Amino acid sequence: MTVWDHFQCHRGDCLLTGTGTLKAVFFIFASLCAWYSGYLLAELIPDVHLSSAVYSIQSIGKRPVLKAPTPKRQKCDHWSPCPEDTYAYRLLSGGGRDKYAKICFEDEMLIGEKTGNVARGINIAIVNYVTGKVIATQYFDMYEGDNSGLMTKFIQSAPSKSLLFMVTHDDGSSRLKEDAKKAIEALGSTEIRNMRFRSSWVFVAAKGFELPAGIQREKINHSDDVKNRYSGWPAEIQVEGCIPKGPS
């Protein structure tokens, strides 16, 4: 190897050594800058917002979940509220052997399983139309015993300006006699003579005043071995609505 070659190699070593030193200095400088920038950022952002910031970053791209408010419960479990100047009512016939009939008026259960005053036959509640207070409730077995006459007297005893609510549970027709049919017919029923064994029937009546033509007043559903919802019984039926209050 010549002196010139030795000199070139020596210069190359020097050049390599100089380049490595510059890289090391640059790396240290960049690290110091990054550390100082992080320090300043930590000082500027309060600690209490750090978790929120992390959550916000994680939530990017997720679809917002919209929750509908829980619907407010209405009187007698109506879907929509009745106006202030009306009475809310809901009548439900019995269904099967164990689903008892119900009569609800102004969110008060007048007849039902929880009140303990519902039974087989025709269940009736009488309400004072002016005050909205219940006058009397009674059930009349139409399968056993002679209760048709007693029910007729009960209906006729309702004072003027009364609301009468009637629902069946199980059978309401077997011992239903002509006098009772006439008394219920006089109140505006158009289905009482169509009652059959275990027909589901509900009826809203007024005594001493007229109900508005548009409200739900009466429904009937007959037992049918092919279409029955329950073994031997048709499905329960219901009517509900709002009755305008009269002058007090």
Side-chain angles (χ1 to χ4, degrees):
M1 179 181 294
T2 63
V3 175
W4 176 252
D5 291 335
H6 178 78
F7 176 74
Q8 288 292 341
C9 290
H10 181 72
R11 282 192 62 191
D13 292 342
C14 290
L15 286 172
L16 289 173
T17 303
T19 302
T21 302
L22 288 174
K23 287 182 178 180
V25 172
F26 179 77
F27 176 76
I28 294 172
F29 179 75
S31 299
L32 290 172
C33 289
W35 173 84
Y36 188 67
S37 298
Y39 171 78
L40 290 177
L41 185 63
E43 289 295 320
L44 292 174
I45 300 176
D47 293 339
V48 292
H49 294 164
L50 186 58
S51 59
S52 299
V54 172
Y55 176 79
S56 299
I57 293 172
Q58 292 176 344
S59 300
I60 294 175
K62 292 183 179 179
R63 292 182 179 180
V65 178
L66 300 178
K67 293 185 178 180
T70 303
K72 181 181 178 181
R73 183 186 173 279
Q74 306 301 333
K75 290 180 179 179
C76 294
D77 292 321
H78 281 203
W79 284 105
S80 56
C82 284
E84 289 293 329
D85 57 346
T86 63
Y87 295 122
Y89 69 93
R90 181 171 178 259
L91 278 64
L92 182 70
S93 72
R97 186 183 302 275
D98 301 320
K99 295 185 180 296
Y100 289 91
K102 296 177 182 178
I103 296 176
C104 179
F105 181 78
E106 278 295 273
D107 217 25
E108 179 183 355
M109 194 63 68
L110 305 185
I111 286 178
E113 185 177 7
K114 291 183 178 180
T115 53
N117 59 349
V118 61
R120 179 177 61 190
I122 298 178
N123 297 259
I124 304 175
I126 302 174
V127 174
N128 186 306
Y129 174 61
V130 178
T131 65
K133 302 298 182 182
V134 62
I135 296 174
T137 64
Q138 188 59 269
Y139 56 83
F140 301 91
D141 192 340
M142 290 294 147
Y143 186 74
E144 291 183 346
D146 185 11
N147 297 304
S148 186
L150 294 174
M151 186 176 72
T152 302
K153 291 179 181 179
F154 182 76
I155 292 171
Q156 292 173 342
S157 71
S160 182
K161 294 285 185 179
S162 292
L163 289 164
L164 291 92
F165 303 103
M166 305 182 191
V167 293
T168 57
H169 176 71
D170 198 330
D171 178 47
S173 66
S174 293
R175 295 180 180 270
L176 184 64
K177 296 182 179 179
E178 183 66 18
D179 57 346
K181 293 178 182 179
K182 285 183 177 179
I184 295 173
E185 214 169 28
L187 292 171
S189 171
T190 59
E191 298 287 359
I192 190 62
R193 293 190 179 275
N194 296 326
M195 287 268 285
R196 304 174 192 168
F197 179 66
R198 285 181 175 168
S199 291
S200 294
W201 175 70
V202 292
F203 178 50
V204 179
K207 187 174 181 180
F209 68 101
E210 292 294 327
L211 289 172
I215 71 169
Q216 287 188 314
R217 296 187 62 179
E218 188 174 24
K219 280 186 180 181
I220 195 167
N221 187 22
H222 302 299
S223 180
D224 186 325
D225 289 339
V226 177
K227 299 179 181 179
N228 280 345
R229 181 173 181 179
Y230 310 100
S231 179
W233 280 272
E236 58 269 55
I237 54 175
Q238 73 171 12
V239 296
E240 66 177 32
C242 311
I243 299 175
K245 296 179 180 179
S248 56

